[in-house]
Amino acid sequence: MHYTGENLRHFALPLGGLGTGTVALAGNGALRQWQLHNIGNHEGHVPDSFFAIRLSQIEPPLDEIRLLQGPPLDPSDTPLVTDDVVPTGERRLHEVIRPIGPTKVTATYPQAHVDYATDLPIEISLDVFNPLVPSDAAASSQPVVGFTFTLHNPGGIAIHGKLATALQNSVGWDGVTPVDGVTCSLYGGNTNRTRRGAGWTSLVLENTTLPLDHPGSGQLVLATDSDAFTHPQWSRPDELVAFLNGPVHQASGASAPGTTWNGGLAVPFNLRPGETAKVRFLIAWHFPNRYVDFNQFGPHPEYGHTRFWLGNAYTRRTPDAVAAADHFIEHWSELETLTTAWTEAFEESSLPGEAGARLAALAADVRSPTVFQTADGDVLGFEGVLGASTAMWGGRYGGSCPLNCTHVWNYEQTLSRLFPALEQNMRDTEYDVMQAPEGYIPHRVRAPLYVKQLWDVVIGGPEEPALDGMLGAVLKTYREVLQGAGLDWLGRRWPQVVRLLDHIHGKWLRDGVLRGIQPSTHDIDLCGVNSFMGTLWLAALRAAEEMALLLGEDAKEYRSLFDTGSTAYDELLFTGEYYRQVLDPDETRDFQWGDGCLADQLIGQWWAHQLDLGYLLPEDHVRTALRNVVRHNLRTGFRDFDHPYRVFADGDDTGLLMCTWPHGGRPDIPTRYCDEVWTGSEYQVAAHCLYEGLTDEGLSILQGLWTRYDGTRRNPFNPIECGDHYIRNAAGWSVLEALTGYRHNAITKTITFAPLPLARSGNTWQFPFTTNTGWATTTHDGTTLTITCKAGHLDLRTITIDGTTYSIDAPIHPGKPLVIATT
């Protein structure tokens, strides 16, 4: 997608691998939101880290030094977001080095292309990326960002100069404490050294005075693919300006207490008329000491002086940032080609409008600081990153609502599709660590995983184990089986699934439906009979039936419970318009919705479509209810709307309200969050609409969401809910599968395509898809289907296209497309 002018105000593309932390490329070309130090902090600023150019010309005389950033835009004052905040250090830098001019950005995650407008006699652009290779977690977990500058002389006179980069040595920093220039109480003893070899020049930034287990211990590397001039240790931007103008004194020794050094590289260039040059830079990092330095839910036992080291998986793959940089340099071209193939698959797809770039951006959710992987390989996730939307209760820095919250992660689909093995690890944690002897699963896990878990204690958000999270565990177990976990894995997990379902059955099932207090993702206890829990229950029963059949177990009880429950829920709740909530006379009305229209009232059916479980309730009732959810809850214009809590849509925005009461009856204390707009629920409902053929309704939700996050007032790569990079948003991957009619079954080794008309261009269509072993593009030209594997391989036996099935003789590998005649 193209971003210019006002759309650049909130643009901040996070760059970093799975669990490595990120730094963001701002819309003006600046580097912001430094989150490399094992903590999420959207306000994290590392001063004096930038790119600049000195351009000279003999006749007519010219000698200019410019900052390779556009002028910053004024904040929009959008509620609960900070992506438009320009750090004070960046504004100070602009006072020392003049910005080059406005920028234009073209970006599809995780790549961006920046064009700089300038009055100088040179054309400059930047291409930036971090490797992303679906199904290859190691390749996608690299702590490095690659920058490629292209310099072109369009005129008739030769020009020359230096292209420079600067990076502050932030080793020892905690990622939060403010840094003023090179001054911070956490600095001291920092050193920068030059390293040359294989045509590259590097600055290695470290602090060898820190203990190995110090939270800030680590290493940074700044490098370029040239024999560059180096200015390893300096303190003020004007010192780098002097360096660009000629030889300067080189400081030596470790930095004084409370200070650090900046480092700089300058690559000389000479461009004759019409010539073009390319210069590559990289930033690599290595911060291995992740600790449990965040507040966890539940009791706070006294563990003495233990700090609970968790570590990082990415730092186990390479011993330091030097090795990470060397590995990336060796594989740069290959990794860039693979990453470009991924982004181009979305850019060139037949998906409607901006859907390709928007859906590609979903991968940013799971590669943000919301998710990390410990040194032991355990995948742990917050709900989001604390920020402006959480300051009123949880602060602005760190992870929001730890860890692996089952009810919020019920919505997430992106990680399971891009990296199924990592998602499977989360299921292992649920069964091996979280599940209580009685069978229930608390909705949060405590880290490290060997400490006492949240059994028989008040948890928080809600207080007791969330029922929807437990039902989701069953659904996610079946999803992982379909995604390649295998029948042996299912066989080991099946007794635990049965124990979980038995617990749910015994505690909540009455007369075929779930009744009583039902803790939920709304952070409150639902009551009575409702289709939010009900459809999750029905979907879980169907998933259990399918898993039992796969294992040769008796599945009759699950089918019987499903049949009884499906009839009971429909008869009790369907009003002819949508599914309501029915409360017993003695049940509280507080935090309930009663006759209201809940956006997520059919969430289980959304799951059922993804898992090919069929309809849970009468098909015509489902479609009617869904159509009315959009009719009643999709609101355009919030200027006269009362926001009692958090504001995720305002002004002229369009957004799907969590609950409305179109016929009155709103309780005095309604269900919590009813007046909010959640992107995760919007994606869930929109995808469900597309599955049902309600394309106008689905697109109206998506267009409202994407317009809110178009860069003018919110960041396209940062969904906000209870924190930044909120993981519920990762439900959006289901939109891709709904549009393309794609399903994958690793057990039967089958894939299915049945694109909706709006995902086709006449009789042709093309888009990417993933399996557990690799990813590929599919292209149909009206008579022929071509499957082109881009990474890994595809282990398939059949492909079904619009209802017609074709056999495959052998696995599909890169470089050997499969071509099938379809007419």
Side-chain angles (χ1 to χ4, degrees), residues 362-363 365-366 412-419 729-733:
L362 294 166
D365 300 331
V366 299
E412 182 276 320
Q413 303 294 335
T414 308
L415 184 67
S416 75
R417 295 305 195 255
L418 298 184
F419 305 101
N729 183 74
W733 203 261

Side-chain angles (χ1 to χ4, degrees), residues 80-94:
L80 304 185
V81 300
T82 58
D83 291 291
D84 58 338
V85 172
V86 181
T88 301
E90 183 179 322
R91 293 190 181 276
R92 289 177 182 171
L93 181 63
H94 285 212

Side-chain angles (χ1 to χ4, degrees), residues 53-115:
I53 189 170
R54 178 189 176 192
L55 187 68
S56 301
Q57 183 177 275
I58 299 175
E59 289 187 25
L62 173 72
D63 190 30
E64 292 276 352
I65 293 178
R66 299 287 180 87
L67 183 67
L68 290 178
Q69 295 177 14
L73 299 173
D74 292 331
S76 68
D77 298 322
T78 305
L80 304 185
V81 300
T82 58
D83 291 291
D84 58 338
V85 172
V86 181
T88 301
E90 183 179 322
R91 293 190 181 276
R92 289 177 182 171
L93 181 63
H94 285 212
E95 296 173 0
V96 179
I97 308 177
R98 180 181 169 191
I100 192 167
T103 56
K104 296 180 180 179
V105 181
T106 302
T108 300
Y109 182 84
Q111 291 181 310
H113 175 86
V114 183
D115 286 306

Side-chain angles (χ1 to χ4, degrees), residues 792-804:
H793 70 281
L794 307 183
D795 188 9
L796 304 172
R797 294 295 176 267
T798 61
I799 297 178
T800 299
I801 307 166
D802 291 332
T804 302

Side-chain angles (χ1 to χ4, degrees), residues 427-713:
R427 303 291 80 71
D428 292 332
T429 297
E430 286 171 358
Y431 289 120
D432 290 339
V433 178
M434 298 167 68
Q435 189 170 30
E438 296 85 349
Y440 67 85
I441 297 179
H443 53 274
R444 303 189 192 278
V445 68
R446 290 176 67 91
L449 302 188
Y450 54 79
V451 301
K452 187 176 182 180
Q453 292 301 314
L454 297 169
W455 299 346
D456 301 318
V457 297
V458 172
I459 302 174
E463 293 187 352
E464 296 184 3
L467 175 56
D468 50 345
M470 287 185 263
L471 294 168
V474 178
L475 296 168
K476 286 178 274 192
T477 301
Y478 185 46
R479 178 187 65 190
E480 272 46 284
V481 173
L482 296 179
Q483 283 285 100
L487 295 183
D488 288 344
W489 180 82
L490 175 59
R492 294 194 303 273
R493 295 304 176 202
W494 180 244
Q496 295 163 299
V497 174
V498 171
R499 203 149 46 91
L500 174 60
L501 286 168
D502 286 348
H503 172 80
I504 296 170
H505 181 289
K507 183 169 183 176
W508 283 287
L509 192 68
R510 303 288 185 275
D511 302 322
V513 296
L514 304 178
R515 296 179 181 271
I517 295 176
Q518 303 158 47
S520 78
T521 195
H522 305 95
D523 295 338
I524 46 89
D525 294 333
L526 304 183
C527 297
V529 185
N530 64 86
S531 61
F532 174 77
M533 288 296 183
T535 56
L536 286 171
W537 167 242
L538 295 175
L541 290 171
R542 281 286 295 114
E545 179 186 8
E546 295 296 330
M547 287 187 281
L549 292 172
L550 286 172
L551 295 173
E553 302 280 347
D554 187 357
K556 294 186 180 66
E557 180 184 5
Y558 298 118
R559 169 54 72 169
S560 176
L561 289 171
F562 170 80
D563 288 339
T564 300
S566 177
T567 299
Y569 273 108
D570 191 65
E571 291 179 350
L572 283 169
L573 304 182
F574 189 61
T575 67
E577 191 176 3
Y578 54 81
Y579 287 89
R580 61 177 179 168
Q581 178 191 33
V582 174
L583 299 165
D584 290 339
D586 60 344
E587 289 184 310
T588 181
R589 268 56 182 167
D590 292 352
F591 296 116
Q592 310 304 309
W593 63 88
D595 291 331
C597 181
L598 186 73
D600 282 344
Q601 63 185 258
L602 292 169
I603 187 173
Q605 186 62 69
W606 169 69
W607 265 104
H609 284 318
Q610 293 179 86
L611 301 181
D612 202 16
L613 297 175
Y615 276 92
L616 310 177
L617 298 164
E619 181 177 351
D620 58 333
H621 291 184
V622 167
R623 193 168 288 115
T624 296
L626 198 58
R627 183 181 288 113
N628 284 305
V629 164
V630 180
R631 182 164 71 94
H632 294 312
N633 292 29
L634 187 64
R635 181 185 179 94
T636 297
F638 286 80
R639 293 188 180 276
D640 59 344
F641 189 79
D642 181 24
H643 294 281
Y645 191 24
R646 300 173 299 189
V647 181
F648 301 129
D650 65 338
D652 298 324
D653 288 339
T654 294
L656 189 74
L657 292 168
M658 288 302 297
C659 192
T660 63
W661 285 263
H663 308 299
R666 175 176 171 135
D668 292 336
I669 304 177
T671 183
R672 185 173 289 171
Y673 312 128
C674 60
D675 298 313
E676 295 184 350
V677 173
W678 291 357
T679 62
S681 289
E682 288 181 301
Y683 270 130
Q684 182 265 122
V685 176
H688 191 179
C689 286
L690 296 174
Y691 278 123
E692 301 293 347
L694 303 176
T695 55
D696 289 343
E697 289 85 348
L699 287 181
S700 64
I701 297 172
L702 294 173
Q703 194 55 57
L705 190 168
W706 292 339
T707 299
R708 293 200 314 275
Y709 283 86
D710 67 355
T712 59
R713 303 185 69 245

Side-chain angles (χ1 to χ4, degrees), residues 37 44 141 177 267 320 348 392 566 568 624 645 703 748 777 788:
H37 297 74
S141 304
T177 301
V267 178
D320 53 27
E348 299 171 359
M392 74 289 290
S566 177
T624 296
Y645 191 24
Q703 194 55 57
T748 59
T777 58
T788 305

